[in-house]
């Protein structure tokens, strides 16, 4: 079956959340939909089924929708594919997806049916909280379907988050869950230690008791006459029992039965009668070992009957009346010993006989499945059927039939009996979680996001060499510009238009602030370059970095698209900045040196790098804990980059590479520390959510804006000079991150 669809998403998404100020966008969207609703018949009929038992359409709806949400959060194509494959694997679905900047074409197959899905997004953006939550969704999904968690070691955090997606601060929920898990672990350790202490105490008491008993026995033996034994020995010794007539009869009967069964099976295997030859053709080389197992068990079957006879003989009236020993005493104890030994032998032989019957039934079942097929395929199985093992059954007790061939291992786990305590997931439950992830509101208001943008751009200006007046102008312009951008994006306006308008407003606000300060201090009028710092909030760091990472994975269509998107945003921003500078007669010649002490300058760089990365993380909608982790990594790497460039005269391009490489290594080390339990489990954030904010502050925005300024002034030589400076730094940033991934990640180290 092959089915072609367009995007699977929610039918209610555009109906239930209409607001009065969204009539324009909804009116346009009425004629330009990007989705096919989920209430189609092939999905609706499986809506309340366990997703492992649903059809390929329902399974693909979850797989592709997860990829859609990950793509809409701004991550690269390699990560979208990884996420889709990790959702598909527990379902036994193989996915082949082409991922671009705003669309996915995915072909899904479960070994029986095939479906092709094409989805597209109207625009792109960045939402690191969504990337983080989708990782937890993948772990929750995988664990409930009987697999292991893939992204986080502690799956309880993922399970708890999926139950509290209605809470605004999911990061706090994960922190509370992590704290509770640590407390429970400490309680269990304390209980285990207490139990161990009690066990040692009981053992010590027992040893003291044993010592007391042994001392008493030793004391009593001193007063006992050695010639008077404390107990009579048994009359029937082990040698007597092994030579008794009863055991000789049992051994003879068992040997005869075993020889008979071996001759019969060997004859079938050697002559290849109808049943035996069919089994041999199906099972191949392993059939000989199977026959040996049955032959070994055949003797046990005969021994079972013999042992039963022995038990009956031991309980006969003659045995109950007793037997006369050599010394004339009655041997009731001897008969009881014989009966007990025979009974034990009977139970053991009965167990072996049951094992033989199980092996025989298994052989007959395999023969029934494969009998009558003249030719065996690879691995001894017929070419048109998968190998069926009676020892591996599905949830209904029927033998599983996983497909064979190139992707057999991918589907081998499908249909296994569910793990105890993991009830599974229905299609409805999966989509309900995805609904809540998709519809989560931004963590921060436009005003707070504007404040974070102001802090980030003011810090960026200091790192570029700006002074207090430059930082004040950038603070005001960037804060106002990003606040306006958030307000305009709420109305779904074209982002290139929004970028042009917001950059122009930010540049004018920065220039106006400096002119106002110039009324009191004329020095402020000389800081014409500050308006460039006010425009840095529009730098599309995520598309830039992910474009390089995609090309490092040989995914050039997605990488080139992301790079072109980055260049288009930068072009619109620099064009707007150039127009404002031309209108108000600005001349951005650069920042004047501050002349600070080396140690003071280094300390201030660390502080403002921390604040800058924190501000950009807020703009990317990162939870506060994620912001702080990214800010710490960024403060270390960016300070190191600036110091080695200034003190060691390292080229800026090499400094950017070293900074990005170190950021990638630190992010990987942080995540590994969480997985190993050195850090709390709720701090396990995606690497891309830590690395991109930490190095976006290294993007040479000043170089790009100055290149555009010279280009607008028709000074082509200076324009090309600054453009190539920016280009060299830009390509070194993703290369550094890619090198870090190759060093720390096996999936990046090898091309397979």
């Amino acid at each position: 079956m092959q089915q072609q669809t367009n995007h699977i998403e929610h039918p209610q998404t555009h109906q239930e959340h209409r607001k009065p100020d969204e009539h324009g966008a909804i009116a346009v969207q009425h004629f330009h939909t990007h989705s096919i609703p989920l209430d189609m018949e092939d999905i609706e009929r499986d809506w309340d089924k366990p997703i492992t038992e649903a059809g390929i359409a329902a399974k693909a709806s979850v797989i592709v929708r997860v990829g859609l949400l990950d793509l809409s959060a701004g991550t690269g194509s390699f990560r979208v594919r990884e996420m889709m494959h990790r959702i598909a694997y527990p379902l036994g679905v193989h996915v082949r997806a082409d991922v671009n900047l705003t669309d996915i074409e995915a072909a899904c197959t479960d070994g029986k049916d095939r479906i092709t899905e094409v989805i597209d997004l109207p625009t792109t953006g960045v939402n690191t909280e969504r990337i983080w939550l989708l990782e937890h969704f993948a772990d929750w999904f995988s664990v409930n379907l009987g697999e292991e968690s893939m992204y986080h070691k502690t799956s309880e955090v993922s399970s708890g988050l999926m139950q509290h997606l209605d809470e605004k601060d999911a990061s706090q929920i994960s922190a509370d869950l992590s704290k509770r898990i640590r407390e429970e672990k400490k309680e269990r350790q304390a209980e285990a230690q207490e139990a161990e202490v009690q066990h040692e105490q009981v053992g010590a008491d027992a040893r003291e008791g044993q010592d007391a008993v042994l001392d008493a026995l030793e004391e009593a033996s001193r007063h006992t006459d050695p010639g008077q034994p404390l107990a009579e020995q048994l009359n029937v010794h082990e040698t007597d029992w092994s030579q008794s007539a009863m055991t000789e009869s049992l051994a003879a009967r068992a040997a005869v039965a075993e020889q008979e069964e071996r001759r019969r099976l060997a004859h079938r295997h050697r002559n290849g009668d109808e049943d035996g030859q069919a089994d041999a053709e199906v099972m191949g080389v392993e059939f000989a070992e199977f026959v040996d197992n049955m032959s070994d068990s055949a003797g046990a079957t005969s021994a079972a009957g013999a042992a039963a006879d022995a038990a009956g003989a031991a309980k006969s009236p003659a045995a109950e009346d007793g037997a006369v020993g050599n010394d004339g005493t009655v041997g009731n104890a001897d008969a009881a010993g014989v009966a007990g030994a025979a009974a034990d032998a009977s139970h053991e032989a009965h167990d072996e006989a049951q094992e033989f019957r199980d092996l025989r039934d298994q052989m007959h079942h395999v023969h029934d499945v494969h009998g009558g097929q003249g030719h065996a395929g690879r691995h001894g199985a017929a070419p048109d059927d998968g190998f069926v093992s009676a020892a591996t059954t599905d949830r209904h007790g029927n033998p599983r039939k996983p497909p064979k061939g190139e992707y057999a291992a991918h589907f081998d786990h499908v249909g296994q009996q569910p793990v105890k305590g993991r009830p599974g997931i229905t299609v409805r439950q999966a989509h309900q979680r995805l609904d809540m992830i998709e519809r989560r509101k931004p963590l921060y208001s436009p005003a707070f996001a504007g404040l974070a943008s102001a802090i980030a751009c003011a810090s960026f200006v200091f790192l570029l060499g700006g002074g207090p007046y430059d930082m004040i102008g950038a603070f005001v312009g960037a804060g106002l510009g990003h606040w306006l951008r958030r307000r305009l994006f709420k109305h779904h306006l074209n982002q290139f238009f929004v970028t042009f308008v917001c950059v122009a407003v930010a540049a004018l606000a920065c220039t106006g602030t400096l002119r106002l300060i110039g009324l009191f201090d004329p020095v402020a009028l000389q800081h014409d370059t500050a308006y460039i710092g006010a425009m840095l909030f529009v730098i599309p760091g995520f598309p830039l970095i992910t474009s390089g990472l995609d090309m490092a994975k040989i995914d050039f269509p997605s990488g080139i698209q992301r790079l072109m998107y980055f260049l288009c945003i930068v072009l619109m921003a620099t064009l707007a900045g150039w127009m404002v500078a031309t209108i108000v007669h600005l001349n951005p010649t650069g920042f004047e040196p501050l002349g600070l002490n080396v140690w003071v300058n280094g300390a201030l760089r660390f502080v403002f790098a921390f604040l800058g990365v924190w501000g950009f993380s807020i703009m990317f909608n990162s939870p506060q804990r994620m912001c702080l982790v990214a800010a710490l990594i960024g403060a270390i790497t960016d300070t190191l980059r600036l110091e080695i460039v200034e003190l060691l005269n390292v080229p800026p391009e090499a400094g950017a590479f070293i900074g990005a490489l170190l950021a990638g290594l630190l992010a990987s080390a942080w995540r590994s520390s969480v997985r190993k339990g050195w850090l709390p489990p709720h701090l396990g954030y995606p690497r891309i959510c830590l690395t991109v904010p930490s190095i976006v502050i290294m993007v040479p925005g000043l170089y790009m804006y100055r290149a555009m300024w010279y280009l607008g002034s028709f000074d082509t030589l200076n324009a090309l000079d600054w453009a190539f400076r920016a280009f060299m730094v830009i390509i070194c940033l993703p290369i550094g991150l890619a090198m870090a991934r190759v060093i720390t990640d096996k999936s990046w180290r090898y091309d397979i």
Side-chain angles (χ1 to χ4, degrees):
M1 181 186 79
Q2 186 162 357
Q3 178 178 346
Q4 186 79 21
T5 67
N6 293 319
H7 160 59
I8 288 187
E9 203 183 41
H10 264 296
Q12 304 91 347
T13 301
H14 311 304
Q15 303 295 330
E16 296 179 354
H17 300 279
R18 293 186 178 182
K19 297 181 180 179
D21 59 347
E22 294 180 342
H23 289 309
I26 291 178
V28 174
Q29 195 174 38
H30 179 72
F31 300 101
H32 299 279
T33 58
H34 299 272
S35 64
I36 286 181
L38 288 173
D39 56 358
M40 297 178 65
E41 181 181 357
D42 52 355
I43 299 176
E44 194 175 40
R45 66 167 176 255
D46 295 334
W47 194 243
D48 291 311
K49 283 185 178 180
I51 192 169
T52 53
E53 300 177 5
I56 185 63
K59 293 178 179 178
S61 70
V62 175
I63 297 168
V64 179
R65 191 178 179 197
V66 169
L68 163 73
L69 293 178
D70 217 20
L71 184 65
S72 68
T75 189
S77 64
F78 74 94
R79 186 177 178 85
V80 174
R81 287 196 188 92
E82 177 188 77
M83 182 67 68
M84 294 174 66
H85 281 299
R86 294 194 173 187
I87 296 297
Y89 179 76
L91 301 177
V93 175
H94 186 76
V95 182
R96 171 65 177 88
D98 288 329
V99 183
N100 295 312
L101 177 64
T102 58
D103 63 89
I104 301 175
E105 181 178 354
C108 305
T109 177
D110 60 357
K112 297 180 297 182
D113 300 322
R114 177 179 298 169
I115 186 171
T116 300
E117 303 253 354
V118 180
I119 68 171
D120 62 279
L121 294 168
T123 185
T124 184
V126 179
N127 189 340
T128 52
E129 186 204 32
R130 179 176 292 181
I131 297 174
W132 172 59
L133 289 177
L134 285 173
E135 278 197 355
H136 284 288
F137 174 85
D139 280 350
W140 167 81
F141 189 85
S142 180
V143 168
N144 277 273
L145 294 184
E147 299 294 325
E148 298 296 328
S149 60
M150 298 169 286
Y151 289 103
H152 304 92
K153 182 178 180 181
T154 307
S155 60
E156 291 83 358
V157 174
S158 301
S159 178
L161 273 178
M162 291 302 105
Q163 304 302 323
H164 296 87
L165 288 172
D166 55 336
E167 299 288 341
K168 180 177 177 60
D169 192 355
S171 178
Q172 184 61 43
I173 296 296
S174 67
D176 295 339
L177 291 169
S178 177
K179 181 179 179 181
R180 189 183 311 165
I181 291 170
R182 292 198 305 270
E183 291 176 350
E184 292 177 353
K185 183 178 180 180
K186 290 181 180 178
E187 291 178 358
R188 289 195 298 269
Q189 290 177 349
E191 292 176 356
Q193 291 177 356
E194 183 179 356
E196 185 177 356
V197 170
Q198 293 179 354
H199 179 72
E200 292 178 354
Q201 185 65 32
V202 171
D205 295 341
R207 285 192 296 272
E208 291 179 0
Q210 290 177 354
D211 293 342
V213 172
L214 292 175
D215 292 341
L217 290 175
E218 184 178 359
E219 184 67 22
S221 64
R222 296 176 182 175
H223 304 284
T224 303
D225 185 3
Q228 298 292 330
L230 297 178
E232 295 286 344
Q233 294 185 357
L234 292 175
N235 292 318
V236 181
H237 300 284
E238 183 179 358
T239 54
D240 297 331
W241 165 252
S242 63
Q243 296 174 0
S244 64
M246 182 184 296
T247 55
E248 289 178 356
S249 176
L250 289 174
R253 291 168 57 186
V256 171
E258 181 178 0
Q259 292 175 0
E260 181 70 21
E261 188 67 14
R262 283 184 179 276
R263 282 198 302 271
R264 185 175 63 83
L265 292 175
H267 177 75
R268 288 182 58 191
H269 182 54
R270 182 174 56 256
N271 295 336
D273 60 7
E274 182 179 357
D275 291 342
Q277 187 170 359
D279 291 337
E281 289 179 352
V282 173
M283 301 300 292
V285 179
E286 297 178 356
F287 182 77
E289 298 179 3
F290 193 80
V291 170
D292 291 340
N293 291 336
M294 293 188 60
S295 300
D296 293 339
S297 300
T301 306
S302 301
D309 295 340
K315 294 182 179 180
S316 63
E320 292 177 357
D321 291 340
V324 179
N326 295 331
D327 55 355
T329 59
V330 178
N332 289 342
D334 303 342
V338 172
D344 293 339
S346 176
H347 289 304
E348 182 177 359
H350 181 270
D351 294 338
E352 294 179 356
Q354 182 62 37
E355 181 180 358
F356 163 73
R357 286 192 293 269
D358 293 340
L359 289 170
R360 183 186 58 193
D361 294 340
Q362 182 177 352
M363 187 191 74
H364 289 167
H365 174 73
V366 174
H367 168 66
D368 293 339
V369 173
H370 296 284
Q373 298 177 3
H375 301 284
R378 191 162 58 97
H379 303 300
D384 296 330
D385 288 323
F387 178 74
V388 179
S389 173
T392 308
T393 59
D394 60 14
R395 63 181 73 248
H396 303 295
N398 301 319
R400 295 192 299 111
K401 296 182 179 180
K404 60 185 289 295
E406 181 179 359
Y407 302 109
H410 184 85
F411 299 100
D412 186 63
H413 61 286
V414 179
Q416 294 185 19
Q417 296 181 1
V419 179
K420 185 178 181 181
R422 299 175 182 178
I425 300 172
T426 64
V427 179
R428 179 193 299 274
Q429 290 172 337
H431 278 293
Q432 283 177 342
R433 267 50 174 202
L434 295 176
D435 285 346
M436 301 179 77
I437 293 175
E438 181 181 4
R439 296 174 181 173
R440 284 181 64 83
K441 296 181 179 180
L443 294 174
Y444 310 104
S445 65
F448 189 83
L451 175 63
S453 173
I455 294 174
C457 291
S459 302
F460 208 154
V461 167
F462 177 83
L463 297 175
L464 293 174
Y469 286 146
D470 300 306
M471 296 174 65
I472 293 174
F475 182 92
V476 175
L480 182 61
H482 187 64
W483 172 84
L484 180 62
R485 184 168 69 155
R486 281 284 302 269
R487 300 294 298 179
L488 294 178
F489 277 155
K490 185 177 180 181
H491 298 277
H492 306 284
L493 294 175
N494 181 277
Q495 61 179 308
F496 295 111
F497 168 77
V498 171
T499 299
F500 187 93
V501 171
C502 293
V503 167
V505 170
L508 289 172
C510 175
T511 304
T513 301
L514 293 176
R515 296 292 170 87
L516 182 61
I517 296 175
L519 298 176
F520 305 94
D521 186 358
V523 177
L525 299 176
Q526 302 176 6
H527 294 266
D528 289 347
T529 313
Y531 83 96
I532 295 180
M535 300 157 48
L536 298 177
F537 67 92
V538 297
I539 291 179
F542 252 86
L544 170 63
I545 302 304
T546 54
S547 69
L549 295 177
D550 284 346
M551 286 189 278
K553 295 289 288 184
I554 321 298
D555 190 351
F556 290 104
S558 176
I560 293 174
Q561 288 184 26
R562 292 175 183 278
L563 181 60
M564 291 305 300
Y565 172 78
F566 165 80
L567 294 176
C568 289
I569 293 292
V570 170
L571 178 63
M572 294 302 296
T574 54
L575 182 61
W578 171 78
M579 291 182 64
V580 170
T582 302
I583 293 172
V584 298
H585 304 289
L586 298 177
N587 185 22
T589 58
F591 299 108
E592 295 293 332
L594 298 178
L596 298 175
N597 178 273
V598 175
W599 295 102
V600 173
N601 194 31
L604 290 177
R605 281 174 173 173
F606 185 90
V607 172
F608 285 112
F610 184 93
L611 293 175
V613 176
W614 174 85
F616 279 112
S617 297
I618 294 293
M619 294 165 60
F620 295 152
N621 199 48
S622 299
Q624 279 295 329
R625 291 177 176 83
M626 188 188 297
C627 293
L628 296 176
V629 175
L632 178 61
I633 295 174
I636 296 172
T637 56
D638 199 55
T639 302
L640 176 65
R641 173 185 72 94
L642 294 173
E643 291 297 321
I644 63 175
V645 169
E646 181 177 336
L647 300 179
L648 302 179
N649 294 323
V650 174
E653 300 80 13
F657 172 81
I658 294 173
L661 176 65
L662 181 59
L665 295 176
L666 289 177
S668 298
W670 181 276
R671 191 171 177 97
S672 298
S673 299
V674 174
R675 291 188 64 86
K676 293 178 180 178
W678 299 343
L679 293 172
H682 67 281
L683 297 179
Y685 301 119
R687 275 187 293 255
I688 196 169
C689 297
L690 302 178
T691 54
V692 174
S694 65
I695 68 172
V696 73
I697 205 169
M698 303 179 190
V699 175
L702 178 62
Y703 293 178
M704 293 183 289
Y705 291 129
R706 293 190 69 175
M708 178 56 69
W709 164 259
Y710 286 117
L711 184 62
S713 302
F714 299 101
D715 189 350
T716 54
L717 291 179
N718 282 324
L720 288 175
D721 178 63
W722 286 103
F724 277 106
R725 288 172 184 259
F727 173 75
M728 290 300 296
V729 174
I730 286 173
I731 64 173
C732 286
L733 292 175
I735 289 176
L737 278 187
M739 289 296 180
R741 291 298 295 267
V742 169
I743 294 173
T744 60
D745 193 340
K746 291 181 180 179
S747 63
W748 281 71
R749 194 176 307 152
Y750 306 104
D751 290 331
I752 55 174

